[in-house]
């Protein structure tokens, strides 16, 4: 799927801004052919929850409605017109002038629809019905229930089966873009690097609709110099003296694709791409022939007021804070992030583990980790209870279709903290890994991120992965506050993984301790800034003692909002920055450590 851009053949109408909004109380039927009654103003893109200062709206479970008027300039009616949503969380029904034109389920990937047949000259009424309901068929997974109040009204309730707030809304840009009637539909770019000869073979496949006499592909470097030109819809070229996309040193080429009729360019699209080589060799993760060490974070799309909605200023700030302390990577925990963030990471050289929204795939989710571990998977029935396989397959298709050309994406994460220790997990996950490997022509490594109940002796699915990714909280959820015992337990587990998979890289994708900014103690008390630093120093010693350990992505980059819970005081406080991106004390330690570890060539 191509990201909408303006070219000499394509235009964009930006539909971001102030829309009308109302929650659906399900008392009277809402007619999508008519303007919404008693609607409030709301900003798009953003979550709806925190904008209107009303508890009824912030905690609403069920349906909401968005509305705005759209006027199409007359000159655009001769073109193919496409309405595109960057995302709509979690399920959307879209109407123009009262007619349903499309439906999409899944809150973190884009969808689009041609709208020429639904438009009229002058003003058009665009209405979106949105659901934030999550259940045992959706990703993420929610615990959904319905009750009836004293007045006979249905009351819907979504209890998150995960540890972040169920922000919902029109989270990402909404645009109408134009193309000619014959147009370039998609571009797939697959580089194959010859490190010895400092060259790369680049394969470009173009999908088109309509009729072209020819399709011309021109490869340009960052100085706009032409390095190759080919004709056809499946073409190869070789770039000599290739500039590689390197971690923290991005270099982007551009593939300019032109559809030609009678010597004239009818449609044109330019796709940026980076050239780099990813390999796993004898327990190491290689980028461009050198061992890469992941330094960074799990994080969230989470800011004040915007909630999970796109905030490009925060994206820029977050990347610059990462760079300032020596980080080089993050995981899109626990859902695909905005295309705008992925494009920014391409330009900044940030390595990304790109994750599906498959979080909450366990019937035993709660904050009592000790109880979860003691069950050993025997008392639960996750893989018969959850019915998420169809949604899981869909999001893998949509994620790879969207992100396949991004140089920053170096690993696909199929799921986060599922019940991989339960019987039935292998049968659930094997087809998903097979699908991801079939769809990704760049053949990136695939993984999933395991919870603490998934240990070397209980994991049913680790054979499917290319990298062992561990979420571990020794010293926090287990051995709470006892860092000496925690260090021994963490080191012992890593030795078991190395013995089981001597040729697979191992990394931590989560480890952290809740820390309240400004809390201090001389006595190693949990929740203080001193304890957080002691905790990270302990983990660093464990990492440095493991030969095949290739990365540390701590949890979390910044404090973030969660549902209400006895362990959550205004959200999760595991950030090394607070929610306003102010640093906690541990940032100084991490900067010193990460600046001393090279991005490439560490642990050769």
């Amino acid at each position: 799927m191509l990201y909408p851009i303006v070219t000499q053949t394509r235009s964009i109408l930006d539909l971001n801004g102030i829309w009308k909004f109302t929650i659906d109380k399900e008392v009277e039927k809402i007619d999508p052919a008519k303007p919404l009654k008693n609607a409030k103003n709301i900003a798009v893109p953003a979550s709806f929850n925190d904008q209107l200062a009303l508890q009824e709206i912030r905690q609403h479970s069920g349906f909401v409605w968005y509305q705005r008027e759209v006027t199409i300039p007359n000159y655009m009616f001769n073109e193919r017109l496409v309405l595109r949503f960057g995302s709509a969380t979690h399920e959307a029904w879209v109407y123009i002038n009262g007619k349903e034109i499309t439906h999409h389920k899944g809150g973190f990937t884009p969808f689009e629809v041609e709208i020429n047949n639904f438009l009229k000259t002058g003003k058009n009424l665009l209405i979106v019905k949105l659901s934030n309901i999550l259940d045992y068929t959706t990703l993420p997974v929610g615990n959904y229930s319905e009750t009836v109040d004293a007045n006979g009204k249905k009351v819907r309730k979504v209890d998150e089966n995960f540890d972040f707030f169920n922000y919902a809304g029109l989270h990402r840009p909404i645009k109408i873009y134009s193309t000619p009637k014959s147009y370039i539909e998609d571009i797939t770019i697959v580089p194959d690097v010859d490190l010895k000869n400092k060259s790369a073979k680049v394969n470009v496949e173009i999908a088109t609709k309509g009729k072209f006499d020819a399709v011309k592909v021109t490869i340009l470097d960052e100085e706009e110099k032409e390095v190759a030109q080919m004709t056809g819809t499946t073409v190869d070229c070789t770039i000599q003296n290739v500039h590689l996309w390197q971690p923290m040193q991005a270099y982007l080429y551009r593939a300019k694709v032109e559809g030609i009729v009678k010597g004239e360019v009818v449609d044109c699209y330019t796709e940026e791409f980076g050239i780099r080589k990813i390999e796993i060799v004898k327990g190491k993760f290689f980028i461009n022939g050198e061992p890469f060490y992941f330094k960074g974070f799990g994080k969230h799309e989470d800011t004040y007021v915007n909630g999970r909605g796109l905030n490009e200023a925060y994206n820029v700030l977050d990347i610059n804070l990462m760079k300032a302390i020596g980080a080089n990577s993050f995981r899109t925990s626990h859902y695909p992030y905005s295309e705008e963030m992925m494009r920014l990471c391409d330009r900044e050289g940030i390595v990304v583990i790109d994750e599906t929204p498959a979080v909450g795939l366990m019937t035993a989710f709660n904050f009592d980790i000790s109880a979860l571990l003691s069950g050993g998977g025997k008392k639960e029935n996750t893989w018969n209870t959850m019915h998420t396989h169809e949604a899981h397959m869909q999001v893998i298709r949509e994620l790879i279709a969207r992100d396949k050309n991004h140089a920053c994406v170096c690993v696909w994460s199929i799921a986060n903290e599922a019940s991989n220790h339960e019987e039935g997990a292998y049968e659930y996950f094997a087809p998903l890994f097979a699908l991801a490997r079939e769809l990704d022509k760049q053949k990136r490594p695939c993984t999933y991120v395991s919870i603490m109940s998934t240990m070397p002796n209980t994991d049913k699915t680790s054979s499917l992965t290319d990298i062992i990714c561990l979420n571990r909280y020794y010293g926090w959820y287990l051995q709470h506050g006892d860092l000496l015992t925690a260090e021994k337990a963490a080191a012992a587990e890593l030795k078991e993984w190395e013995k089981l998979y001597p040729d697979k890289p191992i990394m931590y994708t989560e480890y952290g301790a809740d820390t309240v900014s400004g809390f201090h103690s001389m006595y190693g008390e949990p929740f203080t800034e001193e304890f957080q630093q002691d905790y990270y120093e302990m983990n660093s010693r464990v990492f440095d003692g493991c030969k095949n350990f290739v990365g540390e992505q701590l949890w979390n980059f910044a404090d973030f909002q969660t549902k209400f819970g006895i362990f959550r005081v205004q959200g999760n406080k595991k950030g090394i920055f607070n929610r306003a991106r102010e640093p906690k004390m541990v940032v100084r330690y991490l900067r010193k450590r990460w600046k001393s570890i090279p991005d490439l060539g560490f642990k050769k």
Side-chain angles (χ1 to χ4, degrees):
M1 176 178 282
L2 297 177
Y3 183 80
I5 60 173
V6 175
T7 73
Q8 61 264 44
T9 64
R10 296 175 175 229
S11 300
I12 290 177
L13 291 179
D14 186 351
L15 302 187
N16 297 336
I18 303 300
W19 290 49
K20 294 294 184 181
F21 173 86
T22 188
I23 61 173
D24 193 339
K25 298 182 179 180
E26 301 186 61
V27 175
E28 58 179 304
K29 187 175 181 180
I30 294 176
D31 185 352
K34 298 177 181 179
L36 299 174
K37 297 179 181 179
N38 303 314
K40 298 180 181 294
N41 292 323
I42 201 162
V44 172
S47 300
F48 67 76
N49 307 81
D50 292 350
Q51 292 190 58
L52 300 175
L54 294 169
Q55 183 176 1
E56 177 188 29
I57 290 175
R58 188 179 195 275
Q59 299 300 128
H60 177 72
S61 294
F63 304 98
V64 301
W65 295 78
Y66 286 80
Q67 171 208 304
R68 67 161 290 163
E69 291 180 340
V70 178
T71 300
I72 307 296
N74 287 338
Y75 77 90
M76 292 184 71
F77 277 96
N78 294 324
E79 299 290 292
R80 170 180 171 262
L81 299 176
V82 180
L83 173 62
R84 188 183 197 273
F85 292 79
S87 71
T89 310
H90 295 279
E91 185 172 8
W93 298 260
V94 182
Y95 304 84
I96 291 181
N97 300 322
K99 295 182 179 179
E100 183 177 336
I101 62 168
T102 194
H103 165 260
H104 184 264
K105 190 171 184 179
F108 302 95
T109 45
F111 61 98
E112 60 186 33
V113 58
E114 292 186 30
I115 58 175
N116 295 70
N117 294 336
F118 303 99
L119 295 171
K120 61 184 181 181
T121 56
K123 294 180 179 179
N124 294 269
L125 185 65
L126 172 60
I127 285 185
V128 181
K129 178 184 178 183
L130 203 65
S131 166
N132 70 349
I133 293 172
L134 297 170
D135 58 24
Y136 281 6
T137 69
T138 64
L139 296 176
V141 173
N143 301 292
Y144 177 69
S145 60
E146 294 179 2
T147 56
V148 178
D149 66 15
N151 297 318
K153 179 181 176 295
K154 183 182 292 184
V155 178
R156 303 179 188 272
K157 173 67 176 175
V158 175
D159 177 27
E160 296 96 323
N161 205 53
F162 45 86
D163 188 25
F164 54 95
F165 188 74
N166 184 29
Y167 279 117
L170 298 178
H171 279 155
R172 295 173 187 165
I174 302 170
K175 302 175 182 180
I176 293 174
Y177 72 88
S178 69
T179 75
K181 297 297 175 64
S182 293
Y183 61 96
I184 299 157
E185 182 181 36
D186 200 10
I187 301 169
T188 302
I189 301 173
V190 182
D192 183 11
V193 179
D194 184 340
L195 294 170
K196 182 179 179 181
N197 292 312
K198 298 181 181 179
S199 65
K201 179 181 177 182
V202 179
N203 175 263
V204 184
E205 292 186 9
I206 300 106
T208 64
K209 287 292 180 72
K211 294 183 179 180
F212 293 113
D213 296 336
V215 174
K216 184 170 73 172
V217 181
T218 305
I219 306 298
L220 304 167
D221 66 14
E222 284 196 345
E223 296 178 347
E224 296 292 314
K225 292 180 181 178
E226 182 180 309
V227 297
Q229 188 177 107
M230 306 84 74
T231 301
T233 55
T234 300
V235 295
D236 294 291
C237 70
T238 299
I239 300 175
Q240 303 292 347
N241 299 313
V242 65
H243 296 279
L244 296 177
W245 186 95
Q246 298 273 28
M248 310 310 294
Q249 298 180 45
Y251 191 97
L252 296 177
Y253 288 89
R254 300 168 68 225
K256 183 179 181 181
V257 181
E258 297 170 300
I260 297 170
V261 176
K262 296 180 180 179
E264 298 291 328
V265 175
V266 172
D267 193 20
C268 178
Y269 189 91
T270 300
E271 178 83 334
E272 290 186 325
F273 67 99
I275 296 174
R276 45 95 183 100
K277 187 179 186 71
I278 299 170
E279 301 170 283
I280 290 176
V281 182
K282 295 181 179 179
K284 305 297 183 187
F285 189 96
F286 283 80
I287 296 181
N288 299 329
E290 295 188 75
F292 174 71
Y293 192 81
F294 293 82
K295 300 175 291 181
F297 312 91
K299 67 187 303 292
H300 270 292
E301 290 184 318
D302 176 277
T303 59
Y304 289 113
V305 185
N306 291 70
R308 194 137 291 120
L310 174 66
N311 189 319
E312 295 207 77
Y314 265 100
N315 283 353
V316 170
L317 173 62
D318 287 357
I319 294 297
N320 281 301
L321 288 172
M322 291 180 202
K323 292 167 69 176
I325 65 173
N328 58 22
S329 63
F330 68 83
R331 174 171 59 111
T332 69
S333 40
H334 302 298
Y335 39 82
Y337 289 1
S338 70
E339 291 163 280
E340 290 73 19
M341 183 55 140
M342 307 307 288
R343 292 165 71 86
L344 182 60
C345 290
D346 277 344
R347 297 186 188 107
E348 294 285 357
I350 301 295
V351 173
V352 176
I353 299 176
D354 207 357
E355 189 162 272
T356 76
V359 58
L361 284 168
M362 60 169 60
T363 54
F365 175 80
N366 56 53
F367 290 120
D368 188 351
I369 303 298
S370 297
L372 176 61
L373 288 174
S374 66
K378 297 178 181 178
K379 298 178 182 178
E380 299 303 325
N381 195 23
T382 295
W383 305 114
N384 289 324
T385 303
M386 301 292 176
H387 304 287
T388 55
H389 210 262
E390 182 179 344
H392 214 149
M393 299 282 273
Q394 175 189 329
V395 77
I396 289 171
R397 292 188 185 97
E398 293 180 350
L399 176 61
I400 293 177
R402 192 195 77 167
D403 290 351
K404 60 183 179 293
N405 294 334
H406 285 294
C408 67
V409 176
C410 293
V411 181
W412 303 112
S413 174
I414 303 301
N416 175 79
E417 292 192 347
S419 283
N420 298 87
H421 56 281
E422 287 188 50
E423 293 295 337
Y426 186 90
E427 291 74 13
Y428 179 89
F429 276 102
L432 301 176
F433 276 82
L435 177 63
R437 290 180 170 123
E438 174 190 345
L439 293 174
D440 180 27
K441 295 188 177 182
Q442 289 195 19
K443 304 303 178 186
R444 297 169 178 89
C446 295
T447 190
Y448 67 85
V449 173
S450 74
I451 196 169
M452 289 198 69
S453 50
T454 303
M455 302 293 283
N457 64 332
T458 62
D459 196 316
K460 307 294 184 186
T461 55
S462 55
S463 62
L464 296 169
T465 69
D466 298 305
I467 311 167
I468 303 298
C469 289
L470 306 174
N471 290 358
R472 295 297 184 262
Y473 291 92
Y474 295 105
W476 188 251
Y477 290 122
L478 296 178
Q479 302 96 22
H480 182 69
D482 182 356
L483 297 182
L484 182 62
T485 304
E487 184 171 352
K488 294 177 181 177
E493 187 196 347
L494 289 183
K495 287 181 180 178
E496 290 183 47
W497 283 112
E498 276 196 311
K499 183 178 179 181
L500 186 62
Y501 294 111
D503 291 328
K504 287 191 181 186
I506 305 167
M507 65 181 292
Y508 269 24
T509 36
E510 288 186 25
Y511 64 112
D514 284 271
T515 305
V516 180
S517 295
F519 276 26
H520 296 281
S521 172
M522 294 178 62
Y523 307 111
E525 294 181 60
F527 294 97
T528 64
E529 295 193 43
E530 287 80 6
F531 179 83
Q532 187 181 41
Q533 179 161 329
D534 291 343
Y535 173 91
Y536 280 114
E537 289 180 358
M538 176 273 287
N539 277 280
S540 296
R541 292 192 295 270
V542 173
F543 303 159
D544 292 344
C546 180
K547 176 173 63 73
N548 286 352
F549 201 84
V550 300
E552 49 198 74
Q553 290 187 334
L554 60 82
W555 190 256
N556 189 285
F557 172 75
D559 296 346
F560 58 92
Q561 188 61 58
T562 67
K563 66 179 181 179
F564 299 141
I566 196 168
F567 288 96
R568 297 289 175 253
V569 182
Q570 290 189 326
N572 191 306
K573 294 291 191 290
K574 291 190 182 69
I576 65 164
F577 296 92
N578 65 20
R579 202 178 184 203
R581 276 48 174 184
E582 297 167 333
K584 300 176 187 178
M585 190 174 74
V586 72
V587 167
R588 291 188 174 190
Y589 164 72
L590 289 167
R591 181 193 293 120
K592 183 178 179 180
R593 173 174 171 79
W594 286 350
K595 289 284 189 178
S596 72
I597 296 174
D599 301 316
L600 296 170
F602 186 59
K603 288 189 177 182
K604 286 188 176 180

